[in-house]
């Protein structure tokens, strides 16, 4: 523990220490440099007129976000996290794009899919069918017909990628987050995450989306971090994505849930399954997946833990 002689800052103090443009720039310069910078090299990079001001702000960071070693100044772990999160939101001009055709087919009807990017996520729409979820149309806004769901992706995910590549990256990013959640680990802070199944007892999919729950699946799952504000959720299958019996089935058919070139096929298997509720109390349900003529039936309990896996 010798490396940090200073007491850790409280979160309020930490944000206060960062609430200054010069200090944030110091962190970015050190992050871009990669290697430790001497006082004079860092000062030159900052191109500031007043070395006293520069020194004042640098000292506010040392011991909390910046480490001073014999080789010079460098970011410590907290400083790297700050720079990473700044850069994950950094996009040149416009962190959004309108509905754009992508090289993907709707896994409900097989027709072309469009993607749009807004509010930190990719939204997927079928150009033909009603999609998978009902969504209220925003007044005056564009119709949300065909909404298939949204995948989170930081704005930096748009960098140097076509709409098609963005959507594939979003699947990989999403599946990695889901695997962490399904393993009980918060993808933001690593604390334990709790999962809660949600079952629609009057589920009816006559019209693609259920009038009772608005969803496509009767069994869904919600995840909530026990430490930070992170929460997420979706179709019940998400709770199973880290189970080796499900992963075996996917990989045996050549589908890798974290390979951007494979995620399209994975999503077709992952999001197109039959669900049968066998018992409501105690809860038991069956999920049947299909790929290349083989089926996998997973029987799950009230925690959506797999109690039996049968391949045919
Ligand atoms: Zn469709
Ligand atoms: Zn329902
Ligand atoms: Zn968390």
């Amino acid at each position: 523990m010798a490396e940090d002689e200073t007491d850790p800052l409280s979160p309020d103090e930490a944000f206060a220490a960062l609430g200054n443009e010069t200090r944030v720039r110091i962190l970015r310069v050190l992050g871009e440099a990669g290697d430790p910078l001497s006082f004079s090299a860092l000062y030159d990079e900052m191109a500031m007129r007043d070395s006293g001001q520069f020194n004042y702000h640098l000292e506010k960071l040392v011991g909390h976000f910046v480490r001073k070693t014999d080789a010079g100044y460098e970011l410590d772990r907290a400083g790297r996290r700050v720079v990473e999160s700044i850069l994950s939101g950094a996009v040149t001009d416009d962190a959004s794009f309108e509905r754009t055709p992508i090289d993907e087919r709707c896994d409900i009807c097989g027709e072309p899919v469009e993607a749009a990017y807004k509010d930190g996520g990719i939204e997927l729409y079928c150009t033909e069918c009603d999609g998978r979820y009902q969504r209220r149309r925003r007044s005056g806004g564009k119709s949300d017909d065909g909404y298939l769901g949204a995948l989170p992706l930081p704005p930096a995910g748009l960098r140097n990628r076509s709409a098609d590549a963005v959507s594939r990256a979003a699947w990989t990013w999403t599946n990695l987050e889901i695997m962490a959640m399904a393993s009980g680990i918060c993808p933001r802070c690593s604390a334990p995450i709790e999962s809660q199944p949600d079952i629609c007892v009057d589920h009816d999919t006559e019209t693609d989306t259920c009038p009772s729950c608005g969803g496509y699946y009767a069994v869904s799952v919600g995840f909530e971090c026990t430490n930070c504000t992170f929460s997420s959720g979706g179709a019940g299958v998400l709770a199973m994505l880290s189970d080796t019996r499900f992963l075996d089935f996917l990989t045996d058919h050549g589908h890798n849930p974290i390979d951007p070139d494979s995620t399209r096929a994975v999503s077709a298997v992952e999001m197109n399954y039959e669900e049968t509720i066998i018992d409501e109390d105690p809860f038991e349900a069956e999920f049947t997946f299909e790929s290349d003529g083989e089926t996998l039936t997973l029987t799950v309990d009230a925690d959506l833990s797999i109690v039996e896996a049968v391949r045919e």
Side-chain angles (χ1 to χ4, degrees):
M1 298 299 282
E3 97 184 10
D4 278 318
E5 291 108 21
T6 357
D7 289 336
L9 294 179
S10 73
D12 288 355
E13 290 166 332
F15 280 110
L18 292 174
N20 173 286
E21 197 214 339
T22 303
R23 291 177 212 166
V24 172
R25 263 184 62 219
I26 291 173
L27 296 182
R28 292 188 68 149
V29 167
L30 288 173
E32 275 158 31
D35 292 324
L37 293 180
S38 68
F39 182 89
S40 58
L42 179 56
Y43 180 58
D44 287 348
E45 283 291 328
M46 291 291 292
M48 285 173 70
R49 279 202 202 103
D50 184 341
S51 72
Q53 273 292 312
F54 166 67
N55 190 38
Y56 169 78
H57 289 299
L58 178 60
E59 284 308 313
K60 289 283 180 196
L61 296 169
V62 171
H64 305 299
F65 299 100
V66 171
R67 185 160 51 201
K68 190 183 176 188
T69 67
D70 292 342
Y73 294 90
E74 63 184 6
L75 297 177
D76 68 8
R77 195 183 323 155
R80 285 201 305 271
R81 281 297 291 272
V82 170
V83 174
E84 283 161 11
S85 72
I86 292 170
L87 296 181
S88 75
V91 185
T92 43
D93 300 307
D94 187 11
S96 71
F97 58 79
E98 296 296 317
R99 284 172 66 153
T100 307
I102 56 170
D103 185 18
E104 193 165 334
R105 295 267 159 180
C106 173
D107 53 43
I108 302 168
C109 73
E111 292 302 315
V113 167
E114 292 177 340
Y117 186 87
K118 60 178 115 156
D119 303 332
I122 279 277
E123 297 183 343
L124 299 171
Y125 297 88
C126 179
T127 52
E128 192 60 41
C129 74
D130 287 341
R132 190 168 273 127
Y133 303 96
Q134 284 174 349
R135 287 221 311 185
R136 261 180 238 118
R137 290 177 193 189
R138 296 183 191 119
S139 52
K142 224 180 151 183
S143 157
D144 282 337
D145 287 351
Y147 182 63
L148 291 166
L151 305 169
L153 193 73
L158 270 62
R159 256 176 204 270
N160 302 327
R161 288 195 179 112
S162 64
D164 198 45
V166 168
S167 102
R168 281 183 277 133
W171 275 112
T172 294
W173 178 267
T174 301
N175 281 342
L176 284 166
E177 288 204 335
I178 294 167
M179 283 171 156
M181 290 185 260
S183 305
I185 297 161
C186 175
R188 291 291 176 281
C189 79
S190 78
I193 204 163
E194 278 171 357
S195 63
Q196 189 66 46
D198 189 4
I199 291 108
C200 174
V201 285
D202 301 315
H203 200 66
D204 175 6
T205 49
E206 284 295 299
T207 55
D208 278 352
T209 45
C210 165
S212 181
C213 67
Y216 188 77
Y217 300 103
V219 180
S220 54
V221 61
F223 297 100
E224 200 162 339
C225 181
T226 56
N227 174 56
C228 75
T229 58
F230 182 82
S231 66
S232 182
V237 61
L238 305 188
M240 296 156 220
L241 196 60
S242 67
D243 191 287
T244 47
R245 289 162 288 188
F246 187 42
L247 291 173
D248 279 351
F249 179 74
L250 291 173
T251 52
D252 283 353
H253 290 280
H255 307 322
N256 176 350
I258 57 170
D259 174 1
D261 291 328
S262 173
T263 46
R264 195 173 306 148
V266 173
S267 73
V269 179
E270 194 179 297
M271 299 311 293
N272 236 358
Y273 56 88
E274 299 286 324
E275 54 177 4
T276 312
I277 295 174
I278 298 168
D279 207 336
E280 279 176 26
D281 194 23
F283 180 78
E284 197 177 53
E286 269 181 12
F287 294 74
T288 302
F289 304 86
E290 195 271 329
S291 187
D292 305 331
E294 191 190 18
T295 61
L296 168 72
T297 300
L298 300 175
T299 308
V300 300
D301 64 12
D303 298 327
L304 300 184
S305 296
I306 297 172
V307 291
E308 196 185 16
V310 178
R311 284 170 72 154
E312 283 172 284

